[in-house]
Amino acid sequence: MYVTVTQPLTFEEFLAWDDGSGREFELLDGIPVPLSEPNANHEDLIQRLCTYVENHCQENNLPYVSRQSKQVRLKTAPPEKEKSRKADIVIFAREEWQRMKTISSSAAAYIPPPGIIEVVSNNWKDDYLTKLAEYEDLGVLEYIIVDYAAFGGIRFIGSPKQPTITIYQLEDGEYLPPKVFRGEDRIDFRLFPNIALTAEQIFAMSR
């Protein structure tokens, strides 16, 4: 159900907006749209993976900051109204995160972040189709889809369906054919080249 607003909001206005319900929203053509609440497995995986990636970046002095459930401003052109996604995990450039710490505005991806991680739920088409196109258009360097419960369509995760991690990496403004990881496959991240994680270790973070 769409929330009634008197006029379309800008991204900055949306970040300061609150309907008092405690619900989470994304911005669609200037209109706040409520999100469904994730289940406990989904929540645990996001929290644990975000913490793991953040610790890895700090220990290896990588120029990134990992934060969960942050708004990402999507690419729009006049006369389009502004749009956003509330990404499960956003990988910010450390320099941009430090800049935000000097201002009072809400922490969000005002500019394209280097990486985004989405954990798949029942509305899997958003992650594999809609968000893929949006993040490619935005210029996100690495888009990581974690399908821990094999929700996705067979054209994305195979048949029989099995838990899968799919990674899209940007080259000359387009995503290359995806890299797919399952079971004991070691994940090949562009942003975190030395991270020692298998697909199964990531899936286990949901349990």
Side-chain angles (χ1 to χ4, degrees):
M1 179 178 181
Y2 288 84
V3 174
T4 302
V5 294
T6 56
Q7 61 183 9
L9 303 176
T10 66
F11 183 66
E12 287 81 2
E13 289 170 340
F14 168 63
L15 292 177
W17 174 86
D18 183 3
D19 76 336
S21 69
R23 294 178 297 179
E24 301 290 344
F25 291 82
E26 291 178 335
L27 192 64
L28 177 61
D29 297 326
I31 305 300
V33 178
L35 297 172
S36 58
E37 290 293 327
N39 64 35
N41 292 328
H42 190 278
E43 287 270 6
D44 279 350
L45 197 158
I46 292 170
Q47 190 273 327
R48 291 166 180 165
L49 181 57
C50 186
T51 299
Y52 188 100
V53 171
E54 175 63 12
N55 289 340
H56 177 79
C57 290
Q58 290 185 8
E59 291 167 2
N60 292 273
N61 198 30
L62 298 179
Y64 307 116
V65 171
S66 173
R67 295 292 184 267
Q68 63 190 73
S69 301
K70 291 299 178 186
Q71 293 287 344
V72 177
R73 177 188 235 155
L74 298 180
K75 188 175 181 180
T76 55
E80 289 182 289
K81 302 297 188 296
E82 291 204 79
K83 303 175 184 178
S84 77
R85 286 288 186 181
K86 194 175 186 71
D88 289 329
I89 300 174
V90 177
I91 312 301
F92 291 92
R94 187 173 298 280
E95 183 178 322
E96 171 64 5
W97 187 258
Q98 290 300 122
R99 183 196 68 80
M100 284 192 286
K101 291 178 71 170
T102 68
I103 61 178
S104 59
S105 302
S106 299
Y110 297 88
I111 63 174
I116 289 177
I117 303 173
E118 296 285 10
V119 178
V120 180
S121 54
N122 287 322
N123 55 342
W124 59 268
K125 289 184 179 180
D126 279 354
D127 299 308
Y128 284 103
L129 297 170
T130 310
K131 292 179 185 178
L132 174 66
E134 292 170 342
Y135 295 156
E136 180 181 51
D137 191 44
L138 187 61
V140 176
L141 297 178
E142 190 160 48
Y143 173 38
I144 301 155
I145 303 172
V146 180
D147 197 344
Y148 72 97
F151 287 113
I154 59 174
R155 64 187 182 277
F156 300 109
I157 62 174
S159 178
K161 291 186 178 185
Q162 55 186 310
T164 302
I165 292 173
T166 307
I167 299 182
Y168 289 90
Q169 296 170 339
L170 201 70
E171 195 73 46
D172 296 327
E174 296 183 17
Y175 280 137
L176 298 171
K179 297 179 179 180
V180 175
F181 305 90
R182 302 183 179 96
E184 297 305 316
D185 294 341
R186 179 166 171 167
I187 308 300
D188 180 18
F189 295 110
R190 176 182 290 179
L191 298 180
F192 322 114
N194 298 317
I195 202 166
L197 269 180
T198 66
E200 178 53 36
Q201 284 174 321
I202 293 177
F203 302 144
M205 293 179 185
S206 69
R207 300 172 195 145

